[in-house]
Amino acid sequence: MELLKRNAVPLLLVAAQWPVGWLLSQTVNSYYLQIIVYIGINAMLAVSLNLINGITGQFSLGHAGFMAVGAYVSAACSLFLVNGWPAALALPAILLAGGLAAALAGLVVGLPTLRLRGDYLAITTLGFGEIIRVVILNTAAVGGARGLGGMPPLSDFASVYACTIVCVLVIWRLVHSPLGKAFTAVREDEIAAAAMGIDTTRYKITAFVLGAFWAGVAGALFAHFIGYIHTNSFTFLKSVEVVVMVVLGGMGSISGAIIAAAVLTVLTEALRFLADYRMIIYSVLLIVMMLTRPGGLLGRHEITQWRFWSSRTAR
Amino acid sequence: MALLELTDCSLTFGGLKAVSAFSFTLDAGQLVGLIGPNGAGKTTVFNLITGVYRPDRGEIRMQGQSIAGLPTFRINRSGIARTFQGIRLFPNMSVLDNVVVGANQHIARAPVAMLFRTAAFARHNAELHAQCMATLTLLGLAARAHEAAGTLSYGEQRRLEIARALATRPKLLLLDEPAAGMNPQEKVELMEQIRLIREKLQLGILIIEHDMKLIMKMCERITVLDHGETIAVGKPEQIQIDERVIKAYLGEPVAHDS
Amino acid sequence: MDQLLQQLINGLAWGAIYALIALGYTMVYGVLRLINFAHGDVYMVGAMMAYYLAHWLGFAVAPSTIGFVIVLTSSMLICGALGALIELVAYRPLRNRPRMSMLITAIGVSMLLEFGGQRVFGPDPKFFPQLIESRSLFKAGAVVLTNIDLLVICVSLFLMVVLRFIVLRTKIGLAVRAVSFSFETSSLMGINVNTVISVTFVIGSALAAAAGAMVGLRNPKIEPLMGVLPGVKAFVAAVLGGIGNFPGAVVGGLVMGVTETLVAAYFSSTYRDAVAFVILIVVLLVRPAGLFGKVTVEKV
């Protein structure tokens, strides 16, 4: 009971997504609804990458790769394994399958890389993203170059946003807990953190694997929202898009990442006529941001002031 | 049994003997000074003890357990905490959070409680908060708890490094030039604080410092290094008149240097 | 046996290309501790410049060896300037910021070259003119050594010797080594660190451009994204050899090229690109400092 009371707000927030989703489906046309769902998925990607890149100070460039793993594993799962299950059971099953598969991939990539040279992570994850695409393209069982379709539409606005809220909540509570402050400490000064008894490798890997998990969940939601997936949705460009969201929102700011995800998703749709220039705009944005506002738009701050929060949790 | 014991430790960088055949013991509750001219190998000794470097030869024991070659965080967990000569705080985190990070290994690992913010979690947090604030009070930093560590003055940053190290609950504290950059007033305060810490926590303390007045006043024993070699060991009054020490400092009047 | 020999020749030619690119990574990492993501794309620009120069200067229709040499050196000069420009605009202002900032900018520059390249050069593959007609120099059974393979290997070798001379025997080379050793000390010793870093970028980029122009001869299909994978592979080659170590980069590149070709020939060509990744993981697990590298500890 006590537990329920302490978590009433997030629980209500999650539960509210179903009526809100129903309301939206009655009032908003399907194109806009799709964009709204993409905002949720991208927010989940941005917040989970922010845990790795912004808060822990490592640099992953492979978020799309983990998303792909989640999408394909969950799709295979719903097509071959939980086919015919009721949606209320099948959905958690495929989300978990996608997330865990991506987390496992994250562990395989992160363990050797993060153990020693954090600065190699960028190139390892870049390589991983490309390799995973090659593997999928050459695996006939999941459609290869034809792509994979026929997944039941298990995810919708409500499930996407419920998951996004849970994702944000988990990461927020983690990094703002006394134990989780070590993530930020690793970013600030790895040597000092280790001298304070912190197993820095473990924290880096935890951040990386947890980030990969949520990217996998996002991939699973994506796959079961549009019902057809192809490796073209998970290229290096998608990874860069998520990086741009994190940088724009301010490395380390969770609320910043969410806002940036929403803004960029809408802009991408609104500026469709500029599609050919999109990646050029992104790249210039990255360079200019780093040269002029390296802290991102929000810096390291959250919308809710950090000081207010830390004094409240400490009490 | 000695708290810390180094036997015959050597380390070379390329051809340079940074530390050679260094033997040293420190008992619980002792305050020992490590001095020597610049480049004598003092910080290298700290780095050997804390696992930044691994000795080429020799043995390092903490309460009888060999720690040479262990990763830094394990050595800290065996009860050795340090401060850094070039300050290495977590500059964008609050003063309090710096200390909370220091306490990391003593925080209960309960992911479920953390995620659901249970009553036990809140209680544990409150305790932790009180402990960390007490540590900050000890070093006169309580009023600054919620400011970013990077905004503190130089002297305050040095003291925060000590507070953060204490939060790991060490049995042995290594202080690398804790008074560097402090004004005379701050130095007096620092000496008082170190004395207090030692009394309260029964710590062994090994201190590197260039301020001879401070060293001579506080330490019960001093080891002098020059070119990686131990040239003298003894009580402050013995060190002050030791010819090799005086020569190493190029005739500087050791006792009156500040 | 014949096939093995043939694959070795192919592997060495590719390896020489990787080695040239890897040298640039290693040099820049040495002085700036930066993984210069844009380096693979400079290699692409090198190939593109060679393509356009060959057409503008008329060598595309009248191939000749001298034409190739002119195209190659001009492309190297242009890319050398490009490298210096990238450093000046995108990296220099960030030198005192956290390393992460520079890494992000490097990714930005890389993408700008790739997608800017798609706008400027067009996204479709171009066919590199046959500046030198391919013929077999040597034939034993099924083993063929073409003049192109030999040319690639010899030119690479020549450039490496020149680089070695510059680094070991000239004043600027000494300065580059000094800056790699310690940034601060070098500047205190009166070395103009900015000049040294610019020179490093010029040399590294010129080598990448040479690799790009020569790849055009062997694999004529060139396009704006052609630098991505060779870039990653060359970086892995540099890590394999020990990042910051020049001979290491060359050996790493050759090992990379040969391994990759052999895997493609005997195992499966689809996993050709996965080889680099596997090598990287294995190196990081087994010998993180690389074959010739030394373990370095950050000074505290």
Side-chain angles (χ1 to χ4, degrees), chain C residues 92-170:
Chain C
R92 188 168 298 180
L94 294 171
R95 211 177 282 158
N96 297 321
R97 297 257 191 79
R99 268 205 290 172
M100 174 86 79
S101 311
M102 226 198 271
L103 192 69
I104 295 173
T105 324
I107 292 163
V109 173
S110 162
M111 284 164 49
L112 187 61
L113 289 178
E114 285 161 22
F115 298 101
Q118 281 194 341
R119 300 309 312 159
V120 177
F121 307 129
D124 300 322
K126 298 184 185 314
F127 286 88
F128 201 82
Q130 279 233 310
L131 290 178
I132 293 173
E133 202 187 334
S134 173
R135 55 199 163 78
S136 69
L137 285 180
F138 173 83
K139 215 168 180 172
V143 184
V144 182
L145 175 68
T146 66
N147 57 338
I148 303 276
D149 284 336
L150 192 69
L151 181 89
V152 169
I153 295 171
C154 290
V155 171
S156 308
L157 218 58
F158 171 73
L159 291 173
M160 289 166 199
V161 171
V162 171
L163 178 67
R164 192 179 160 75
F165 176 81
I166 293 175
V167 170
L168 292 182
R169 293 290 147 86
T170 64

Side-chain angles (χ1 to χ4, degrees), chain C residues 51-285:
Chain C
Y51 170 89
Y52 284 106
L53 284 168
H55 280 282
W56 289 334
L57 301 175
F59 297 121
V61 282
S64 68
T65 308
I66 193 79
F68 171 71
V69 173
I70 292 173
V71 165
L72 181 81
T73 44
S74 333
S75 172
M76 285 173 73
L77 286 175
I78 294 172
C79 284
L82 175 69
L85 182 73
I86 291 173
E87 192 274 327
L88 183 73
V89 175
Y91 302 154
R92 188 168 298 180
L94 294 171
R95 211 177 282 158
N96 297 321
R97 297 257 191 79
R99 268 205 290 172
M100 174 86 79
S101 311
M102 226 198 271
L103 192 69
I104 295 173
T105 324
I107 292 163
V109 173
S110 162
M111 284 164 49
L112 187 61
L113 289 178
E114 285 161 22
F115 298 101
Q118 281 194 341
R119 300 309 312 159
V120 177
F121 307 129
D124 300 322
K126 298 184 185 314
F127 286 88
F128 201 82
Q130 279 233 310
L131 290 178
I132 293 173
E133 202 187 334
S134 173
R135 55 199 163 78
S136 69
L137 285 180
F138 173 83
K139 215 168 180 172
V143 184
V144 182
L145 175 68
T146 66
N147 57 338
I148 303 276
D149 284 336
L150 192 69
L151 181 89
V152 169
I153 295 171
C154 290
V155 171
S156 308
L157 218 58
F158 171 73
L159 291 173
M160 289 166 199
V161 171
V162 171
L163 178 67
R164 192 179 160 75
F165 176 81
I166 293 175
V167 170
L168 292 182
R169 293 290 147 86
T170 64
K171 216 169 148 185
I172 188 74
L174 183 68
V176 169
R177 281 183 291 151
V179 172
S180 303
F181 199 74
S182 167
F183 210 93
E184 285 86 16
T185 316
S186 314
S187 65
L188 290 176
M189 295 296 131
I191 293 173
N192 186 339
V193 176
N194 284 338
T195 312
V196 170
I197 291 174
S198 297
V199 167
T200 309
F201 272 86
V202 168
I203 297 176
S205 305
L207 291 177
M214 289 196 293
V215 152
L217 291 180
R218 285 192 90 241
N219 302 60
K221 235 165 87 168
I222 60 171
E223 44 100 19
L225 298 183
M226 67 184 272
V228 179
L229 277 178
V232 173
K233 292 172 186 174
F235 175 77
V236 174
V239 171
L240 174 63
I243 194 116
N245 183 301
F246 289 58
V250 174
V251 173
L254 293 178
V255 170
M256 183 72 160
V258 170
T259 318
E260 190 182 272
T261 317
L262 291 182
V263 167
Y266 291 100
F267 186 62
S268 160
S269 62
T270 45
Y271 291 105
R272 181 192 168 107
D273 293 336
V275 172
F277 191 62
V278 174
I279 291 183
L280 180 62
I281 297 284
V282 171
V283 171
L284 289 176
L285 280 175

Side-chain angles (χ1 to χ4, degrees), chain A residues 18 74 77-78 82 85-100 154-155 159 163 213 217 220-221 224:
Chain A
W18 274 270
S74 69
C77 209
S78 68
V82 299
W85 287 23
L89 285 178
L91 181 66
I94 58 130
L95 292 183
L96 216 56
L100 289 178
L154 289 173
S155 61
S159 49
C163 285
F213 174 86
V217 172
L221 287 166
H224 291 83

